[in-house]
Amino acid sequence: MDIATLHSIFTVLVFVGFIGLVVWLFVLKRKPDFEEQANLPFADDQKPQQQQKQESDHE
C-alpha cells in the first residue's frame, strides 16, 4: 500500500467517526441526559445551604 491509500482510508475512518458522533449527540434524543449533567454544578450549591439550615435548627 502506498501513502495515498493510507491517507484515504484514514480520511474515511475519521469521517465515519464524525458521523457517528453527530448521530449519538443529536439524533438519539440525549437532551435529558445532557440537561441533567449541565445542572450538576448547581446541585453542589444547594448542599451547603441545607447543611446551614440543619445546623441552625439544632442550635
Side-chain angles (χ1 to χ4, degrees), residues 5 15-16 22 26-27 30-31 39 43 47 55 57-58:
T5 304
F15 181 71
V16 169
V22 168
F26 296 110
V27 176
R30 298 185 47 89
K31 186 173 181 173
N39 289 325
K47 290 180 184 176
E55 290 173 4
D57 290 342
H58 293 294

Side-chain angles (χ1 to χ4, degrees), residues 16-36:
V16 169
F18 175 76
I19 296 300
L21 184 65
V22 168
V23 167
W24 180 69
L25 288 174
F26 296 110
V27 176
L28 296 179
K29 306 293 182 195
R30 298 185 47 89
K31 186 173 181 173
D33 295 335
F34 292 142
E35 286 180 354
E36 178 183 345

Side-chain angles (χ1 to χ4, degrees), residues 7-22:
H7 281 237
S8 298
I9 292 171
F10 181 73
T11 301
V12 170
L13 289 175
V14 169
F15 181 71
V16 169
F18 175 76
I19 296 300
L21 184 65
V22 168

